[in-house]
C-alpha cells in the first residue's frame, strides 16, 4: 500500500501562484511514477502532469504547459506541482497518484490516489 496526502491548496487570485505537495508513505517512493490530476466542478477528472521514477521525464497537459512544473524529491518522498500564472479555469480539486509501471496521461493505470486538495482561483 502507498498512502498519498496532498497539501498546499487554497484560494489565490488570477495570475498568482501555488505549490502543491504530495507526501507518500508505505513503500519505496523512488519505485513509483507520480502524476497530478484535477477535477473541476461538473467535469471529469483530467490529467495535469506526470513524472517518472527518476524525475528524468515529465509530461504535461497542453492547458498547463509553460505554467505548471512537476518535480519530486525522493529523499523527502514528496512530489510537487508548482503552479504559476493561475487562471480561474484552473479551479479544481487536485489529486496526486502513484503507479509502479505507468507514467502517463490516463487515469485508470494509476494504482494509488490521494484524497485531493482544493485550489480556487478568483478572477
Amino acid at each position: 500500500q502507498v498512502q498519498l496526502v496532498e497539501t498546499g491548496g487554497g484560494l489565490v487570485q488570477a495570475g498568482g501562484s501555488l505549490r502543491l505537495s504530495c507526501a507518500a508513505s508505505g513503500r519505496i517512493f523512488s519505485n513509483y511514477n507520480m502524476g497530478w490530476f484535477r477535477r473541476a466542478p461538473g467535469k471529469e477528472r483530467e490529467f495535469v502532469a506526470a513524472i517518472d521514477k527518476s524525475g528524468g521525464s515529465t509530461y504535461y497537459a497542453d492547458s498547463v504547459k509553460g505554467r505548471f512544473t512537476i518535480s519530486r524529491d525522493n529523499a523527502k518522498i514528496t512530489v510537487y506541482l508548482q503552479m504559476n500564472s493561475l487562471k480561474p479555469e484552473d479551479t479544481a480539486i487536485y489529486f496526486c497518484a502513484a503507479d509502479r509501471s505507468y507514467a502517463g496521461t490516463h487515469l485508470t493505470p494509476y494504482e494509488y490516489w490521494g484524497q485531493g486538495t482544493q485550489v480556487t482561483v478568483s478572477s
Side-chain angles (χ1 to χ4, degrees), residues 2-121:
V2 174
Q3 292 80 41
L4 303 173
V5 179
E6 303 96 334
T7 56
L11 173 64
V12 64
Q13 288 189 328
S17 298
L18 281 175
R19 188 175 81 155
L20 306 183
S21 299
C22 174
S25 62
R27 292 291 176 92
I28 301 174
F29 181 67
S30 58
N31 287 344
Y32 288 82
N33 305 299
M34 302 296 295
W36 284 98
F37 293 78
R38 66 186 181 188
R39 185 176 69 232
K43 295 188 177 181
E44 299 290 324
R45 196 175 300 195
E46 65 176 5
F47 170 75
V48 176
I51 189 166
D52 71 354
K53 300 173 187 181
S54 68
S57 295
T58 57
Y59 313 89
Y60 295 95
D62 288 342
S63 59
V64 307
K65 207 170 288 184
R67 300 188 298 123
F68 290 11
T69 303
I70 188 171
S71 62
R72 65 189 297 159
D73 186 334
N74 285 346
K76 295 184 178 179
I77 55 174
T78 301
V79 63
Y80 304 99
L81 186 68
Q82 178 67 44
M83 306 186 295
N84 298 329
S85 303
L86 283 161
K87 305 175 181 180
E89 50 263 43
D90 295 317
T91 295
I93 301 172
Y94 284 72
F95 302 88
C96 70
D99 194 80
R100 287 181 63 97
S101 303
Y102 182 76
T105 65
H106 299 288
L107 282 71
T108 51
Y110 285 92
E111 184 172 6
Y112 300 104
W113 290 84
Q115 293 300 305
T117 184
Q118 176 71 49
V119 171
T120 303
V121 184

